Amino acid sequence: MRKLAVVMIALLGLVFLVGCGDDDSEDRAGKASSPTVMGGPAPAVTPGFREGAPQQDSPAPTDQSNRKEVITGSVDVTSGDPIAAAATVTEQVRAVDGRIDSRTEQPGTDKRAARAVLSVRVPADKTDAFITGLGGVGTVTRVSTNRDDVTMQWQDLDARIRALQASVDRLKALITSATNTADLIAAEEALSSRQGELDSLTAQKRSLDDQVALSTLTITLTADDKNAPGDPDNFWDGIVSGWHSLIDWLQDAIVFVGKAVPWLGFLAVIGGLLYAALRLLRRRRRTAAHVSTAPASAPAATAPAPTAPAATASEATASEVGASGGPESAASGKETPGAHSAGDDQTEQP
């Protein structure tokens, strides 16, 4: 029994030693497979793998001195001569190093007042002074300005641009150190995508910088009430106004008639075609009705036809006898009634 117990203890010890040896071998294999971190620079990332998204720098807290504002507004000005006032405003814009994006001028007539509209861009720090200077051009009747804070948007664009620029620089370095064609193609595709996004963000930031640097103002110049056309004030002005209105009405009537002439010709052609079609249709109906009634009247018309030749023959005989003369003709003349009666009797026989 003691021997059996010793053998069992020995077997258990052997199993325990084998299990410990397996654990040690697994630990050594794991250590051998893990890379050793050296104190030198980190190895470059293989271009074939997708590079992680660049980390965006958190925007700095807003400061009043670094605020980015987009200023827009409109100004209404009345002047005795809006066209000349628009030229003066143009000179003022150029004096503050601004620019004019659009300019519309409408000279005055008897029916409408003169008017000019300008869309100008002036430096943001000179906007207030420029609006105040418009008082020398005419009477400022309305001023409206709006300041839109775009500081967060500007900072976000700036951070994304800097992160993408760093990513583009790394990809360019990987392209120069690529060892095979596959890695080179992968790096160039990633660089093309990042470069396109970088260019788009750069254009957006450039446009935002332009809006921040230059304010946008819409200036409307109109004529004074005394220079604007209105109702006549006296009898003579009323006559003149009525004459002008009559001339305008006649001109409009002449234009209307000129426009109506082609339509009248077209309607006349259409009416002529319809009239001809109706007449042709009536003729066909009359012809059809005459043909349908012709068989019923034909026997009555042909019944007395045999008497006509007999009468004609007797008349011819009488004329010949009268022309021959003498007693024979008289005898013949006496016999003629009998002949006519006989002929009539023969003709009237059934």
Side-chain angles (χ1 to χ4, degrees), residues 54-113:
Q55 297 180 356
Q56 298 182 0
D57 298 338
S58 58
T62 58
D63 188 5
Q64 295 295 330
S65 60
N66 295 327
R67 287 187 63 184
K68 305 294 181 181
E69 294 179 343
V70 176
I71 303 176
T72 57
S74 61
V75 183
D76 295 342
V77 182
T78 59
S79 176
D81 189 358
I83 306 302
T88 304
V89 172
T90 302
E91 295 177 358
Q92 293 181 358
V93 171
R94 293 174 180 173
V96 296
D97 297 332
R99 72 172 188 263
I100 298 177
D101 287 347
S102 65
R103 178 175 178 177
T104 304
E105 296 180 357
Q106 177 181 309
T109 61
D110 295 336
K111 294 183 178 180
R112 64 187 181 187

Side-chain angles (χ1 to χ4, degrees), residues 41 63 118 135 161 169 180 194 225 239 242 245 266 282 346:
D63 188 5
L118 291 85
I161 288 173
D169 294 339
N180 54 54
R194 295 292 173 83
D225 294 337
I239 293 176
S245 63
F266 175 74
R282 289 178 181 176
Q346 293 178 1

Side-chain angles (χ1 to χ4, degrees), residues 298-325:
T302 56
T307 60
T312 304
S314 60
E315 290 177 359
T317 304
S319 62
E320 290 177 357
V321 171
S324 60

